[in-house]
Amino acid sequence: MVRRSTVDHSPQPDLYSTGYDAETGSQPQRSTGKRPRSGSGWRGAGGRWLVWTFRVVVWAVLLIVGYRGVMAIVLNETPPRHTPAAHVARAPRFPVQMASAYALQFGGVYLNASPATASQRASELASFLPPGASDPQLGWNGGGSLVLQSAQVAGVLVEDAQHALVTLLARVNGKMMELGVPVYAAAGGLGISGEPAWLPAPKPAAAPAAPAVNSDSATESELTRQLPAFFAAYATGNQSTLSLGGSVLFGSVTGVTAPVGGTVRHVVATVTWEIPGQPARAGNSTASLEMAYALTILRQHGTWYVQSIAPSTEAGGLP
């Protein structure tokens, strides 16, 4: 006789519907008749959503990286590299200072000429001229003479990196003149690229008359009496900060111009200096020079004191 088991399909009581852990086998708890709290069956669901969200982000990043890698291979792209800035070569500049000294040396040879020393002049000029120059005297016909008393650079007109015109201010045969010297520069060398040009000396320029000032005659008289002691000390070096070192001797104060003002004034004093060691002339014991000085004076305790001394830009002893 075979016993058959039947399965009860009837509705089960709440005793077995909740509170029984099938995995642990713990006994079910008796139902209290209360409904379970909302969400009690979704424990751990929030953590699973975070995990899935993190996985989605990771896969998205991997897809983007993979896509960029594939495109870089297809398009033959290379990552940017940091390269140092390219060295920019500066254009060479004309050597103004060296050319000035070079032209000055050339002028010392060119502006001295004498038939007795013609061969020496040609030999010295050869170092400034291109090899095989057709005229070793550079324009001089061998007659008469030139004597250079002084010369200095007056200016440099640069045309480009290789060409410039150096102007010398010189005194030749007792007269002032200018000399334009074309200079060529290349590969660290210099040369005279052509014949120089004789130019006129700067023309005289007369400064306009100084505007009339309201002079203080009382102060001028007072300074005329006080300034001789100052200039005597200025000449001999008796004061530590004011000294001409005995190169001149004080002669006299020949004039003072003092404007009306306060305790600080800017005045002009005309002084005669005597040059020691010079032969006497008729009616004079020694050679002398009259010069003008700009003084800044300060009045303290009833006396004028000199704060500063400098050359004057005013006419001074000129009429």
Side-chain angles (χ1 to χ4, degrees):
M1 184 176 184
V2 180
R3 299 179 65 180
R4 295 182 179 177
S5 61
T6 60
V7 178
D8 187 1
H9 295 281
S10 63
Q12 300 297 319
D14 290 343
L15 175 63
Y16 301 102
S17 63
T18 59
Y20 181 81
D21 192 338
E23 294 180 359
T24 61
S26 59
Q27 294 296 324
Q29 301 295 326
R30 183 176 297 276
S31 175
T32 59
K34 297 181 180 180
R35 302 186 63 182
R37 294 180 181 179
S38 175
S40 60
W42 292 96
R43 293 178 182 178
R48 289 196 297 273
W49 279 110
L50 289 176
V51 170
W52 279 106
T53 303
F54 176 75
R55 290 178 179 178
V56 170
V57 172
V58 171
W59 278 106
V61 172
L62 292 176
L63 289 175
I64 294 174
V65 173
Y67 172 77
R68 292 296 300 165
V70 172
M71 292 303 298
I73 296 174
V74 172
L75 299 178
N76 194 24
E77 294 180 351
T78 57
R81 296 180 180 179
H82 177 70
T83 56
H87 176 70
V88 180
R90 294 184 178 180
R93 296 181 178 180
F94 186 86
V96 174
Q97 294 184 349
M98 183 61 70
S100 299
Y102 186 81
L104 192 60
Q105 292 292 317
F106 166 79
V109 177
Y110 179 80
L111 294 175
N112 281 298
S114 173
T117 59
S119 59
Q120 179 182 353
R121 181 178 186 270
S123 176
E124 293 178 356
L125 283 176
S127 61
F128 297 93
L129 304 179
S134 58
D135 184 4
Q137 294 293 349
L138 200 59
W140 179 52
N141 64 355
S145 62
L146 297 174
V147 179
L148 174 66
Q149 281 85 36
S150 63
Q152 54 189 318
V153 177
V156 180
L157 178 61
V158 177
E159 295 182 357
D160 52 42
Q162 294 181 313
H163 300 84
L165 182 67
V166 180
T167 302
L168 303 179
L169 181 62
R171 182 168 292 276
V172 181
N173 292 354
K175 296 183 178 180
M176 188 182 298
M177 49 84 66
E178 289 187 9
L179 184 71
V181 181
V183 180
Y184 176 78
L190 295 171
I192 304 302
S193 58
E195 293 183 344
W198 196 298
L199 304 172
K203 62 181 181 180
V213 296
N214 187 12
S215 299
D216 186 346
S217 58
T219 300
E220 292 174 352
S221 300
E222 186 177 358
L223 290 173
T224 302
R225 295 190 300 268
Q226 293 183 6
L227 287 178
F230 166 78
F231 281 107
Y234 183 62
T236 58
N238 289 344
Q239 298 185 17
S240 60
T241 57
L242 299 173
S243 175
L244 292 178
S247 58
V248 295
L249 299 176
F250 172 70
S252 63
V253 174
T254 59
V256 177
T257 302
V260 175
T263 57
V264 178
R265 309 278 185 92
H266 300 284
V267 304
V268 176
T270 305
V271 182
T272 299
W273 298 114
E274 295 180 354
I275 313 299
Q278 298 297 316
R281 294 179 52 190
N284 295 323
S285 59
T286 58
S288 64
L289 288 172
E290 187 179 78
M291 299 181 176
Y293 291 89
L295 306 176
T296 299
I297 58 174
L298 171 66
R299 190 169 183 84
Q300 289 182 341
H301 309 295
T303 303
W304 290 104
Y305 295 90
V306 177
Q307 282 189 325
S308 64
I309 180 171
S312 174
T313 58
E314 298 183 16
L318 295 178

